Amino acid sequence: MTADGEGRSDETHFADADQRDAHFLRHSFAVARRSMAHGNHPFAAILVDAEGHVLIEAENGYMPDRDATAHAERLVATLACTSIAPAVRATATLYSSAEPCAMCAGAIYWAGIGRVVYGLSERRLRDFTGNHPENPTLDLPCREVFASGQRATEVSGPLLEDEAAALHVGVWDK
Ligand SMILES: [Zn+2]
């Protein structure tokens, strides 16, 4: 997990907003692959500011302490609260390899992050994980959590869902 106040400049010139979203979503997929290479679950999230700087990257943090609350989006939201100004959070986008669960959507809401883009839907993730003891996936669309709040959180997804799903093939079969 990294927080860089200066912001690492990523490619900032995109033909349109869809291309920008695809670029940063694939960035989150790459971090998710890194998470799995590090012995963790294949999930990741990144926070990108309005100018296209990657402010925070987080891999899933289940291991080494078996912390079932260390979902990547929750880690990003917590780090954003302690290191990123509220006005920047409000115009930032969190890109997540999979749809935020109820806990993570709550954390994103409390962090005041203005927009979420996700790859794999929670419903489809649940088809992969089943009732796996390390990841008994919830079944509550993040839009429902955000809709219950008092400030707007924009949501886009699922996007690039087959690429996002590929991260989970064979992972939860044991
Ligand atoms: Zn979560």
Side-chain angles (χ1 to χ4, degrees):
M1 186 164 52
T2 58
D4 183 344
E6 297 296 308
R8 261 188 310 110
S9 190
D10 214 317
E11 293 170 44
T12 50
H13 300 292
F14 300 103
D16 55 35
D18 288 346
Q19 193 187 73
R20 183 183 196 269
D21 283 346
H23 171 82
F24 288 116
L25 199 52
R26 287 189 171 115
H27 184 137
S28 80
F29 298 166
V31 180
R33 281 189 287 273
R34 208 168 71 208
S35 176
M36 196 157 78
H38 289 159
N40 255 314
H41 302 154
F43 298 105
I46 65 174
L47 188 69
V48 179
D49 73 10
E51 287 75 45
H53 300 109
V54 178
L55 303 177
I56 300 174
E57 280 184 359
E59 301 174 15
N60 173 268
Y62 181 72
M63 295 300 282
D65 300 320
R66 298 188 182 280
D67 180 357
T69 68
H71 292 184
E73 311 97 296
R74 206 276 296 159
L75 295 172
V76 167
T78 297
L79 192 55
C81 280
T82 57
S83 66
I84 307 287
V88 176
R89 301 201 298 263
T91 56
T93 299
L94 184 148
Y95 292 89
S96 180
S97 61
E99 182 174 1
C101 73
M103 171 185 72
C104 291
I108 290 164
Y109 172 77
W110 288 112
I113 294 167
R115 182 166 180 256
V116 172
V117 178
Y118 66 86
L120 185 65
S121 71
E122 187 170 61
R123 177 61 61 86
R124 197 160 158 195
L125 173 66
R126 197 180 66 158
D127 290 342
F128 279 105
T129 67
N131 190 25
H132 194 286
E134 293 184 10
N135 208 97
T137 305
L138 293 171
D139 186 10
L140 180 62
C142 70
R143 286 176 175 83
E144 290 191 26
V145 177
F146 293 128
S148 72
Q150 300 187 68
R151 59 184 163 203
T153 308
E154 188 186 337
V155 180
S156 295
L159 290 176
L160 305 176
E161 195 173 26
D162 289 339
E163 286 180 44
L167 295 163
H168 295 273
V169 172
V171 172
W172 305 102
D173 297 344
K174 33 195 185 301

